[in-house]
Amino acid sequence: MPEEQADGRRRVVIESLSPQIDCGKYPIKRVVGEKVVVEANVFADGHDQVACQLLHGRVNDTTMQSCPMLPIGNDRWRAEFPVLNVGRYEYTVEGWIDRFRTWRSDLIKRIDAGQDVHVDFLIGARIIEDTASRATAEDADFCSRYARRLREKKDTESKRNAALDTELLNVVDRYPERHLVTRYDKPLGVVVDREKARFSTWYEVFPRSCSPEPGRHGTLRDCEARLPYIASMGFDVVYLPPIHPIGQTFRKGKNNSVAAQPGDVGSPWAIGSEEGGHTAIHPKLGTLKDFKKFIASANENGLEVALDIAFQCTPDHPYVKEHREWFRARPDGTIQYAENPPKLYQDIFPLDFESSEWHALWIELRDVVLFWMKQGVRIFRVDNPHTKPFSFWEWFIREIKQQDPDVLFLAEAFTRPQVMYRLAKIGFSQSYSYFSWRNTKEELTDYFNELTQTEVREYFRPNLWPNTPDILPEFLQVGGRPAFMIRLILAATLGASYGIYGPAFELCENAPFQPGSEEYLNSEKYEIKHRDPDSSGSLKDFIARINRIRKHNPALQSDRHLRFHGTDNPSLICYSKATNDLSNIIVVIVNLDTARPQTGWINLDLNSLGLGADHTFQVHDLLGDGRYLWKGARKYVELFPESLPAHILHVRPWVRRETDFDYYL
Amino acid sequence: MPEEQADGRRRVVIESLSPQIDCGKYPIKRVVGEKVVVEANVFADGHDQVACQLLHGRVNDTTMQSCPMLPIGNDRWRAEFPVLNVGRYEYTVEGWIDRFRTWRSDLIKRIDAGQDVHVDFLIGARIIEDTASRATAEDADFCSRYARRLREKKDTESKRNAALDTELLNVVDRYPERHLVTRYDKPLGVVVDREKARFSTWYEVFPRSCSPEPGRHGTLRDCEARLPYIASMGFDVVYLPPIHPIGQTFRKGKNNSVAAQPGDVGSPWAIGSEEGGHTAIHPKLGTLKDFKKFIASANENGLEVALDIAFQCTPDHPYVKEHREWFRARPDGTIQYAENPPKLYQDIFPLDFESSEWHALWIELRDVVLFWMKQGVRIFRVDNPHTKPFSFWEWFIREIKQQDPDVLFLAEAFTRPQVMYRLAKIGFSQSYSYFSWRNTKEELTDYFNELTQTEVREYFRPNLWPNTPDILPEFLQVGGRPAFMIRLILAATLGASYGIYGPAFELCENAPFQPGSEEYLNSEKYEIKHRDPDSSGSLKDFIARINRIRKHNPALQSDRHLRFHGTDNPSLICYSKATNDLSNIIVVIVNLDTARPQTGWINLDLNSLGLGADHTFQVHDLLGDGRYLWKGARKYVELFPESLPAHILHVRPWVRRETDFDYYL
């Protein structure tokens, strides 16, 4: 007996619904104002016509909205919906046999073939009467009138006109037969973030290095004074390494030496001392009041503050005394310190997520973030999330976003690809990427095609960093000032979100701790630095120019429409970005060689830019300021590492011609 | 509160388990003796080592068997299991943190770095003691002994030797920590068929045309007499169009004419008359006893009988009187006949699967097949399954296979790709394919790559037909005898399963009903044919030769290892098939031009054949009988449509050389 069949007469099937991550286990990501384009294979047995609709709505809304899907060939259907608010949305697809449209199109064929259709009119009348039973009073009345015409009119011509009336079609379309509707297995999710999740420009700065007086420990107030400078370069997120008290036990000295000298300030990531833990502020940086003032001042400068979340403790952290159960005990009674054997990090006690008291630990960590949210923080950069369980982060981010869906998390997980992608799937809003080590044309093309042209783009938003306090890439070490310009252009135009660690970046600091190392010499992680941001060699004006270009060109504010174009020189890379509607198009050509001018031919995929082969268009170099009239796909370019390492071309498809004169024709 | 988290300490995640059809909704297919190679991404946070195992077993077995998975890079793991019986299997993956292996490999690093490890020995002892608590008495004893050595031995060297003992590793590996194991979301299914599901050679014949006397209606006994002839050509399935009584009402005449003349026999697919329906035998064909004898005789000839299942009725079918509720009534009281507007098929009443009595209808149709199974039939060719609901077939095939998992179904669904694939997913063992209309090198390459190199291969087993009673392809109409040879070679070597409609095929019948039609002139569907299978132009010996090649070369008995190789002439196609272990390799080169000899260079992908560039190998042309010594990828070939339209080359990687002499060295 077919017990397990709810109703064996349900004939429509729905397959391959996209977008969909891991069988619907994880939501896709969007920002406010974007669309979700949904496709599915919807079909039935036989030759009856099927109809289908997209259902969508915010999670917890009582009803979902619907919109009809349209066929795009090979039994695939498409529809889209906009997401207008932050929060969670759901979508799914329903399909059914469209009896009326099947009948109607068959009728046309029968009449065209000159067949006797008097019984068919009766069949149609019955379908219309069925529709009436589902309709509003007004529409039911309308349907009944048409059904009567099909039943009672004497002449075939009148019946035919009634049957094929498009007004009737429109009314009947409004009342799909709910009976025997197939709905896709389960609703799929969308997390909708505010726009900054997609488009953001980050600047990392150590407050303790912001003192104008050499030798004095900088404060939040000193850092506050630096905000106009940061804002002037066009950044919109200022990210601070941890601002908490720093442990004394096993404190690291300069250049990560094991024995700190008196006066060594320690690493900000070694969190916790007698002065407090993750909700305290390092006394030398200032007070909570100073921090709130810092936030307010940042906001006035058009900057948001991103705080570092590093869930780990020094031996001096209050948790160690108060919650010994959150740390792993060794058989000798000591607490397990961090290791990556044979490396030992005795200054750090990792939290033990396998503790039997994991519930309480999770709650406490969530409360840390809620505390900083209460102070006005809405962006968190999470240190090493890949060393804590995925299930913790999944719960944690959902909890926080239920409190405030505006909160964003950047995952600093420099680890294996599957792990990075998993963290993005389970909720991180943005992710550090492998950009820091992708230098050649092939490396960049392959990696950014993977990020933007595959399913990855539905959940992983890369944030591109040419440098960080942990990473001084070899390209910057060996390429001098042009290397910094090239990597900045690439980060700022390949990525809708990017960031730099300054002022080390704009001052082109490039001395490694030792050859083959990516650590900075005299790293700011272990000592206070004093620099002059106004020094003559600074890239600050160049950075400001690039960020202005980003701000004025929506094409650069999304990664979705990135396309690579051919070049005949491996040192030249060419790519474009465009808005959905092609109203803003940017073509970028970069010389990847820091040492020599490079020339070559580029071969534009005109089609992807909405241009025809015989279309004359203007390109305006937003970097070098040249303007050129172009036509066709192939162009010759010449780029100079020191002066003009790249073109950032704004494409203007419309060129004034004789036809633009009022009096033409 | 993290309520929904079963246990937040479960750290291992499992993703992208393959093979998997539509998120595990449908089983993959295998035949007895094949393997299922399972892969999954398995990883955890941090740097602890993970371990994982494949679980597999027959559905309804009380426990699943397990085998360890091995890493293949990028966090992906692999294992395989054989399927030794017909029926349903399940598989899934489990992963966990391997505390012992993590500890062991860390210990080695620590010792190598000269660190103090006395506490680490105690940590290891605890892990081993934990293992003991899960182990058999003997192994527990073994573990305890080692734990004691780690705790009590005085010298580091002894402790080290105990810790790293591989025997200890093997024992501990046997008792993975079940605590906090992650299991993949749901078990995935495998339907295991007997070998014929993968490798079969079909011959379609109309029993009523088997009479040796012109003018007499052939019988099952006449057809029985034809069996040795069919067997002599190397076929192993003899497929009969429906053998049931044929309706009188609106019976179609010769060449599908609307008005039958007296004496016209009608179409076998117009099932049902006063003499009976789907479980009756046409009186002119014989009796049930004759049919059973036919089956027995077929089996003696090495042939299995495949019966046609066409779930539709003539107006004269007993169901029409007995189960009017299974047909759709029109408003004028008549029963709805089959249509594809404006085409009308008044001789056929389709069963109404939207009837409120669908339950009873489903049961009845299942019982029809159970009836023929009782007579000894194990293969059914299903006519137009795409005109009945998918949910019906899914239930129907599952029901039948629960009774007898040896039963096979071939889907005759010449329809849109998604529909064909869906029917395969829901259970059809084999499917007719688009092969009949794929003629050029590009068409064949694209289509067979789709069938054999994508996920489709997991559930869709194509059965290739150069002709059917419905399809006389234009290639055969215009290409003469070479066209029949070429299409036979392609069908027999591209497809592990193929079939021909005979004797029309071997006699090279190629007259269409009218130009542009694929219908045969004087089609056997509407009249009795009399032919001489022994006529001189017959391809029977050629067919026998090809089928012998198939039988002796396992490479041709599976589609999984099909690979296309380059040719510099679009009229030459080259491909290879091989067994899993490369013990049997066949390279086929076909001239697709029926009119002219073609020459050109082929470019073998030696790697896919397990051959090196400097490897001399012998190829033996199983068709033309030539033998050649080859070396390298590029070879020149010349093929003649009339005499030798193809090479079917058996590759023998080993050529005798001086080193083969006993006395060499």
Side-chain angles (χ1 to χ4, degrees), chain B residues 29 394 397 401 409 422-430:
Chain B
K29 294 197 178 92
E394 193 171 0
I397 295 172
K401 286 195 154 251
F409 293 97
R422 177 85 179 194
L423 289 165
K425 287 179 194 173
I426 62 177
F428 280 91
S429 326
Q430 294 188 351

Side-chain angles (χ1 to χ4, degrees), chain A residues 1-2 4-5 7-11 13 15 22-23 25 41 43-47 74-75 106 109-110 113 115 119 122-123 126 185 330-332 339-342 344 353-356 358-359 362-363 386-391 395 398 416-419 422 425, chain B residues 1-2 4-5 7-11 13 15 22-23 25 41 43-47 74-75 106 109-110 113 115 119 122-123 126 185 330-332 339-342 344 353-356 358-359 362-363 386-391 395 398 416-419 422 425:
Chain A
M1 290 293 294
E4 70 276 36
Q5 289 291 342
D7 193 326
R9 296 172 294 173
R10 194 165 287 148
R11 290 169 48 203
V13 297
E15 286 188 343
D22 288 9
C23 300
K25 208 164 167 184
N41 297 344
F43 53 94
D45 61 283
H47 79 277
N74 198 19
D75 288 312
D106 285 355
K109 292 177 201 155
R110 292 181 223 269
Q115 294 173 0
V119 176
L122 298 179
I123 292 173
R126 196 184 279 176
D185 313 33
R330 284 157 58 91
D332 62 351
E339 316 176 277
N340 189 0
L344 312 177
F353 284 85
E354 292 187 340
S355 155
S356 60
W358 60 274
H359 280 94
W362 285 23
I363 303 285
H386 55 294
T387 60
K388 289 100 199 169
F390 300 106
S391 53
W395 168 85
R398 204 185 320 123
R416 309 185 308 281
Q418 305 303 339
V419 176
R422 177 85 179 196
K425 288 180 191 172
Chain B
M1 290 296 294
E4 71 273 39
Q5 289 292 341
D7 193 325
R9 295 172 293 173
R10 194 166 288 148
R11 289 169 49 202
V13 298
E15 286 189 343
D22 289 8
C23 300
K25 208 165 167 181
N41 298 345
F43 53 93
D45 61 282
H47 80 277
N74 197 19
D75 287 314
D106 285 354
K109 291 178 203 155
R110 290 182 223 268
Q115 294 174 1
V119 177
L122 299 178
I123 292 173
R126 196 186 278 175
D185 311 32
R330 282 158 60 90
D332 62 352
E339 316 176 279
N340 189 359
L344 311 176
F353 284 86
E354 291 187 340
S355 156
S356 61
W358 60 274
H359 278 95
W362 285 23
I363 303 286
H386 55 294
T387 61
K388 289 98 198 166
F390 300 105
S391 53
W395 169 84
R398 205 185 319 125
R416 309 186 308 283
Q418 304 304 337
V419 177
R422 177 85 179 194
K425 287 179 194 173

Side-chain angles (χ1 to χ4, degrees), chain B residues 436-454:
Chain B
S436 310
W437 304 281
R438 296 293 179 271
N439 296 308
T440 66
K441 174 173 149 183
E442 197 188 349
E443 285 171 349
L444 289 164
T445 305
D446 287 353
Y447 187 51
F448 282 89
N449 275 335
E450 175 178 325
L451 295 184
T452 65
Q453 304 309 314
T454 71

Side-chain angles (χ1 to χ4, degrees), chain A residues 439 441 444-445 482 485-494 542 546 549 556 562-577 585-593 596-606 609 617-626 628 630 632-641 643-651:
Chain A
N439 295 306
K441 175 173 150 183
L444 289 162
T445 305
M485 293 167 71
I486 290 166
R487 295 298 292 175
L488 187 92
I489 292 167
L490 291 170
T493 57
L494 282 171
F542 181 76
I546 299 281
I549 294 172
L556 296 175
L562 176 66
R563 287 290 176 283
F564 288 91
H565 303 267
T567 72
D568 65 356
N569 176 342
S571 289
L572 294 177
I573 191 167
C574 176
Y575 48 90
S576 64
K577 282 191 162 186
I585 304 173
I586 297 289
V587 172
V588 182
I589 309 159
V590 185
N591 177 1
L592 299 172
D593 183 347
R596 280 167 299 270
Q598 293 286 346
T599 63
W601 289 86
I602 61 163
N603 190 12
L604 293 174
D605 174 1
L606 292 175
L609 305 175
F617 54 96
Q618 197 198 104
V619 295
H620 173 202
D621 187 353
L622 304 176
L623 203 55
D625 229 2
Y628 317 94
W630 280 9
R634 277 170 60 80
K635 287 298 145 203
Y636 183 79
V637 293
E638 190 170 7
L639 290 165
F640 305 88
S643 53
L644 186 72
H647 291 309
I648 301 180
L649 304 167
H650 178 208
V651 177

Side-chain angles (χ1 to χ4, degrees), chain A residues 502-517:
Chain A
F505 189 87
E506 63 264 32
L507 299 182
C508 303
E509 292 181 4
N510 69 350
F513 172 60
Q514 58 187 37
S517 162

